[in-house]
Amino acid sequence: MGLSIMKTLLICFALISMVVVQVGAAARSGITYIHPGVLDPCKRLGGPHPGCHPNPESAPTQANTYNC
């Protein structure tokens, strides 16, 4: 019984230690954000890209809106 609790605590400690090391490594790498071009291809450098309107505020609206 006591050995089982000791193994459980050791595994928990190992998992917490791995998370702490991983978070520390990510903080040291300098990666702090995701570039908008990754999520929205219209914001990638080197545009205009096919299918992207040059001025998003005056972009054409959808002709057939779906109404339920």
Side-chain angles (χ1 to χ4, degrees):
M1 180 83 174
L3 189 57
S4 176
I5 293 173
M6 187 69 146
K7 286 182 183 179
T8 304
L9 289 175
L10 185 61
I11 290 172
C12 288
F13 177 74
L15 289 173
I16 291 171
S17 298
M18 287 190 292
V19 169
V20 168
V21 168
Q22 185 68 19
V23 168
R28 285 190 304 271
S29 68
I31 299 173
T32 57
Y33 65 93
I34 296 176
H35 190 275
V38 174
L39 302 176
D40 186 3
C42 293
K43 294 182 180 178
R44 276 187 284 156
L45 297 174
H49 300 288
C52 298
H53 197 272
N55 187 1
E57 287 80 28
S58 65
T61 58
Q62 183 179 359
N64 300 326
T65 58
Y66 177 76
N67 294 323
C68 184

